[in-house]
Amino acid sequence: MKFKDKHKFVRSNMKKNRTRLWMTILASTIGCAFLIMLASIGFAIHKTAVDDVMSFRMVNEIQVQKESGMMTENDVMKLEQIKGVKAVTRKKYTPANQLSIDEFNTFANVMSAHMPSEEKAGFELDKGRMPKNKNEIVVGYHFAEDLRKDQPDNYLEGLSEEQAQEKMKELSYKGELLNKTLTYHLKTDNPDIKIEGPVQTVDVKIVGIGKKPAREWAHDNSVFITEDLYNEVISILGKQDPKIASADELKNYGEVKAFTASADDVKEVTDRIEKLDYMTYSIIKELKQMNVYFTLFKAGLIFIGAIAVLIASIGIFNTMTMAVTERSQDIGIMKAIGATPKTVKRIFLLESAYIGLWGVGLGTLLAYITSYGVNFALPIIIEQFVNETPPEGFMLSYIPWSLTAIAVTICMGVTLLSGWRPAAKATTVDVLKALRRDV
Amino acid sequence: MISVSNLSYAFKIGKKGKENIVPVLHDVNLQVAEGEIVAVVGRSGSGKSTLLNLISGFIQPEVGSITINGTNVSKFSESKWAEFRLNHLGFIFQSFQLIPSMSAFENVELPLVLKGVNVPERKKRTEEMLKRVGLESFQNHYPGELSGGQQQRVSIARALILNPPLILADEPTGSLDSENEKQLLCFIKELNENYGITFLMITHDHEVASIAHRKVEIIDGYLREERILHEVQR
Ligand SMILES: Nc1ncnc2c1ncn2[C@@H]1O[C@H](COP(=O)(O)OP(=O)(O)O)[C@@H](O)[C@H]1O
Ligand SMILES: [Mg+2]
């Protein structure tokens, strides 16, 4: 018997009891949709967590530290030699943090950076370029916001926190910062040191402004100065504070990161770096640990969801068992004429497969619609009733292809399994008993 | 065409372990030549149907052997039997055994479908066959919408559609009125004469005379050759 004929035969059989058929399909649909929806919550949480981790670090970034002590020039050179390392960025923190322009002032997070390496590592700028000369600097995206006029007395009195924040913004620097020259005040932030006379300053020019951080709430007010300027600054500060001249943490790097050409190389390069007795930290590593946890979590949800599918499959089992009983005469006649047990079995398996396919198809569709609806409606509901905006990119349900594939496999597997026994039963229909119906 | 030798059969009834054994056939030997019409007669419950069911493969013999068309079928598996029936045997039943949810056309077409014949050829052959049994205008009728005689003609059409050399019939005229019975026997005779189809059929004594070449009688499970009614023609 050709497949096309089996298909036709099964279809006409299925039409015999439509209500029962659709009820069975409905049960599978709900079971399948439930499985996908439940698991999609796990997938959404996982995705949110991964996106979160990825949003403030680059995938091809490996943070490197020593077991004890700080990273030295020597360490950086060793890292640069490692195969697969594209660039090694390194930063030193300065103890002088005040910058100003006209009457605007800020205390920023000033660091030295090795500009060629930063450039190679893919430092992202919103505007401008990377520094080329000693006195050129790059500032973070929110630098201007923090550059403020002095607060008049009682400026924020009686204001709520939110209002105060708005009010503070009015004091911020409004103009264009790119290519402006700022005054860098070379005074150590150690409050114990008192300086007589005017504070020494150095003019620095903003040549680039960093890109907006991926995360809404992140606030980037950092200032990157060149290493040459840093050395000059330290020697001046060293005269103010003898501790600075001898401080190890100012000679060595506070933050060292190795970058690979692509995310795929991270694991290999990490291994090489760790062989040299460094400690590493990378997204890939963190994700790996996170993935184990979330995979277990998702598997648990899928397992619970699969129970719903299993319950639905009892419906398929019943329907198919009844179908076999009802059609035992037809089966008997077909067997008498020359239908092999294999053919009979295939026909009934095909019927349960069709029920399963309908269930899976409609269930998946329903799950996608529900998922979309929930993701769309929930933030609105939260805003309405809890009066709070959910975080950006909020997702309660996420259905990746892999989940759909898993659900389809589970549903179809369970369906075929539940259709198996009725189909096997159909093959054992006794020809003579079936033919003896009305004799 | 058919060779049955030393065939015995007993039904087992009751639960396993304490079955009741009901012997039905005892050491049956029967030869049916190609082109013969052989009638099996006997009292009700004598074992006629059992013999035919064994030859049809609906039940499996434990003692003795059956050879059909040169093939020893006694040890056939269920699927082998199914294939063999499809390709070599045609069946006519007392109660027609048509599938009620299928039209006359679909019922006749069924063996072709099982065999995997393509649609255009199926259509052609089925229409031809329905014409041959005089039902071309009833092809879309369902069995419930046909008279007994018409239903039996549909079932004959179904039996003939794959041109089997042998047709087994268990009281084919049992549910028919005398008019239809006469027609059917005529048709069987014609098929035998024109196409050389061999028939083994269970029938009642009085009808047999008109068409059967030979008659065998089963008495309490023992087969007895009665007499040759006619010489086999040709
Ligand atoms: N399925 C069965 N189980 C047990 N005994 C059966 C079965 N079928 C038939 N018999 C017995 O076998 C004997 C022969 O039956 P059958 O071959 O149908 O007779 P016939 O067709 O000659 O009227 C009967 O005594 C009947 O009771
Ligand atoms: Mg009988």
Side-chain angles (χ1 to χ4, degrees):
Chain A
M1 200 170 176
K2 284 184 182 158
F3 178 79
K4 227 174 94 187
D5 294 317
K6 284 186 193 138
H7 168 80
K8 224 181 102 193
F9 185 76
V10 167
R11 281 203 43 154
S12 73
N13 274 342
M14 285 169 84
K15 282 181 191 153
K16 283 180 192 161
N17 201 329
R18 281 169 197 263
T19 320
R20 188 177 70 195
L21 177 76
W22 281 109
M23 283 300 148
T24 315
I25 289 175
L26 185 66
S28 324
T29 301
I30 293 170
C32 181
F34 179 75
L35 165 63
I36 297 178
M37 275 313 291
L38 190 67
S40 79
I41 297 170
F43 278 82
I45 296 173
H46 189 181
K47 186 173 157 43
T48 310
V50 169
D51 287 353
D52 203 51
V53 170
M54 306 256 277
S55 67
F56 64 112
R57 262 192 204 93
M58 290 205 263
V59 234
N60 61 338
E61 169 187 313
I62 307 166
Q63 218 169 317
V64 187
Q65 275 169 358
K66 276 213 283 208
E67 198 100 26
S68 64
M70 296 180 77
M71 296 289 284
T72 63
E73 195 63 50
N74 197 20
D75 293 319
V76 169
M77 268 157 65
K78 265 206 248 168
L79 289 179
E80 278 180 329
Q81 235 93 82
I82 289 173
K83 198 176 146 228
V85 172
K86 189 175 75 174
V88 179
T89 66
R90 54 269 199 180
K91 295 187 179 101
K92 291 176 186 168
Y93 300 105
T94 61
N97 289 314
Q98 190 188 358
L99 289 114
S100 63
I101 178 168
D102 306 331
E103 73 268 39
F104 297 92
N105 237 308
T106 186
F107 288 87
N109 186 15
V110 182
M111 285 174 278
S112 81
H114 184 247
M115 296 305 172
S117 299
E118 293 291 347
E119 214 164 342
K120 253 198 267 175
F123 190 95
E124 289 180 296
L125 289 169
D126 185 51
K127 279 185 225 164
R129 57 168 175 85
M130 294 301 282
K132 288 201 182 82
N133 304 313
K134 192 182 85 182
N135 283 25
E136 291 177 344
I137 64 167
V138 171
V139 297
Y141 187 83
H142 298 101
F143 180 79
E145 211 176 282
D146 284 3
L147 195 58
R148 291 192 192 93
K149 278 188 256 189
D150 283 342
Q151 251 181 68
D153 286 343
N154 304 329
Y155 183 63
L156 297 176
E157 196 143 301
L159 296 178
S160 74
E161 202 175 314
E162 262 172 60
Q163 287 168 319
Q165 263 177 26
E166 283 305 306
K167 200 86 196 264
M168 284 298 279
K169 274 188 191 158
E170 287 170 19
L171 300 173
S172 294
Y173 186 84
K174 293 290 179 333
E176 174 63 61
L177 269 180
L178 197 62
N179 294 325
K180 287 272 153 57
T181 301
L182 269 60
T183 310
Y184 183 19
H185 301 255
L186 302 182
K187 180 187 175 299
T188 164
D189 52 7
N190 184 348
D192 299 339
I193 305 290
K194 298 272 178 281
I195 305 165
E196 291 116 49
V199 172
Q200 217 174 323
T201 62
V202 56
D203 284 350
V204 289
K205 187 178 166 199
I206 297 177
V207 295
I209 294 172
K211 206 177 161 185
K212 189 177 179 185
R215 295 210 280 187
E216 192 91 319
W217 46 264
H219 190 84
D220 185 7
N221 68 345
S222 47
V223 173
F224 296 108
I225 62 173
T226 61
E227 290 189 323
D228 291 344
L229 180 60
Y230 178 86
N231 292 335
E232 197 181 303
V233 167
I234 291 298
S235 75
I236 292 169
L237 293 175
K239 283 173 201 147
Q240 297 169 13
D241 182 357
K243 262 198 222 145
I244 285 177
S246 63
D248 243 7
E249 68 254 37
L250 297 176
K251 278 195 213 106
N252 296 328
Y253 294 106
E255 185 193 292
V256 174
K257 288 174 182 170
F259 287 82
T260 62
S262 84
D264 298 337
D265 304 339
V266 170
K267 206 193 149 336
E268 251 174 81
V269 173
T270 301
D271 288 346
R272 286 188 202 125
I273 294 174
E274 284 183 347
K275 239 183 223 146
L276 299 177
D277 276 338
Y278 291 105
M279 297 196 305
T280 65
Y281 177 87
S282 61
I283 291 197
I284 305 275
K285 225 168 151 184
E286 186 179 346
L287 288 182
K288 219 167 117 190
Q289 284 159 6
M290 222 163 75
N291 283 346
V292 172
Y293 167 75
F294 277 110
T295 304
L296 282 175
F297 179 56
K298 290 189 289 189
L301 291 180
I302 289 173
F303 178 77
I304 297 169
I307 293 174
V309 176
L310 220 62
I311 293 169
S313 80
I314 295 173
I316 295 179
F317 178 84
N318 277 335
T319 298
M320 290 313 296
T321 307
M322 274 158 84
V324 170
T325 311
E326 280 169 6
R327 282 178 228 147
S328 65
Q329 255 135 44
D330 297 9
I331 299 167
I333 293 169
M334 287 181 66
K335 280 178 80 175
I337 289 170
T340 58
K342 208 162 116 190
T343 305
V344 174
K345 190 171 192 167
R346 292 252 169 99
I347 286 170
F348 281 94
L349 277 181
L350 201 62
E351 187 164 339
S352 40
Y354 284 167
I355 294 177
L357 274 177
W358 270 103
V360 166
L362 292 177
T364 308
L365 193 71
L366 181 65
Y368 270 97
I369 293 170
T370 315
S371 171
Y372 180 82
V374 162
N375 285 338
F376 178 78
L378 211 67
I380 297 173
I381 293 170
I382 288 175
E383 237 166 293
Q384 291 274 316
F385 293 95
V386 194
N387 221 345
E388 227 168 281
T389 25
E392 194 195 15
F394 169 84
M395 236 181 353
L396 182 72
S397 161
Y398 169 59
I399 310 176
W401 266 111
S402 56
L403 173 56
T404 311
I406 290 168
V408 168
T409 311
I410 290 177
C411 293
M412 283 316 290
V414 168
T415 301
L416 287 182
L417 221 62
S418 61
W420 199 268
R421 253 193 75 87
K425 197 183 149 208
T427 66
T428 64
V429 164
D430 186 63
V431 176
L432 286 182
K433 270 184 201 148
L435 298 190
R436 215 179 286 132
R437 52 179 165 176
D438 49 9
V439 188
Chain B
M1 177 60 70
I2 306 175
S3 167
V4 174
S5 46
N6 308 108
L7 184 69
S8 297
Y9 192 80
F11 282 104
K12 291 189 185 80
I13 36 181
K15 285 201 182 101
K16 249 204 169 127
K18 41 181 179 179
E19 301 131 323
N20 251 334
I21 293 177
V22 184
V24 178
L25 294 176
H26 308 276
D27 202 28
V28 170
N29 289 283
L30 172 69
Q31 308 289 324
V32 177
E34 209 178 321
E36 256 190 321
I37 299 177
V38 173
V40 182
V41 298
R43 275 217 301 260
S44 176
S46 57
K48 306 183 294 295
S49 295
T50 305
L51 176 63
L52 211 70
N53 290 336
L54 282 161
I55 295 170
S56 313
F58 298 153
I59 45 180
Q60 309 301 319
E62 269 159 18
V63 183
S65 80
I66 303 166
T67 305
I68 302 172
N69 225 355
T71 312
N72 188 339
V73 295
S74 349
K75 294 278 176 286
F76 262 16
S77 68
E78 223 192 315
S79 45
K80 268 206 148 159
W81 256 119
E83 231 170 278
F84 188 81
R85 282 198 290 267
L86 187 64
N87 292 313
H88 300 274
L89 305 179
F91 293 93
I92 308 174
F93 304 97
Q94 177 177 357
S95 46
F96 324 131
Q97 307 293 3
L98 299 175
I99 294 181
S101 59
M102 288 183 175
S103 66
F105 183 93
E106 287 166 332
N107 267 291
V108 174
E109 188 193 24
L110 189 58
L112 295 172
V113 173
L114 289 175
K115 190 128 196 227
V117 176
N118 62 37
V119 178
E121 190 179 339
R122 246 153 54 187
K123 190 167 148 57
K124 195 182 119 230
R125 281 169 74 173
T126 307
E127 276 170 357
E128 252 171 43
M129 187 53 73
L130 280 164
K131 207 168 190 175
R132 232 167 99 189
V133 296
L135 287 174
E136 63 267 46
S137 52
F138 292 90
Q139 51 170 277
N140 293 323
H141 285 57
Y142 286 86
E145 302 159 0
L146 295 170
S147 74
Q150 287 168 328
Q151 286 187 54
Q152 193 60 303
R153 276 187 276 160
V154 173
S155 103
I156 291 170
R158 184 181 63 187
L160 291 172
I161 192 91
L162 281 171
N163 302 318
L166 172 64
I167 287 181
L168 303 170
D170 191 342
E171 304 193 32
T173 59
S175 313
L176 301 179
D177 56 46
S178 59
E179 183 56 35
N180 277 310
E181 177 183 322
K182 234 175 32 211
Q183 263 186 28
L184 175 66
L185 292 173
C186 242
F187 189 56
I188 288 176
K189 193 163 186 223
E190 184 203 313
L191 287 170
N192 172 259
E193 280 168 6
N194 296 345
Y195 301 95
I197 299 173
T198 310
F199 282 85
L200 178 64
M201 57 182 198
I202 298 170
T203 114
H204 299 295
D205 225 355
H206 61 277
E207 336 160 316
V208 178
S210 58
I211 61 160
H213 303 128
R214 201 147 63 87
K215 185 170 92 172
V216 295
E217 186 173 8
I218 298 184
I219 302 166
D220 294 336
Y222 294 94
L223 185 130
R224 199 162 58 110
E225 192 90 7
E226 276 263 299
R227 62 199 138 97
I228 306 288
L229 296 173
H230 305 278
E231 279 307 310
V232 180
Q233 272 127 358
R234 275 178 285 120

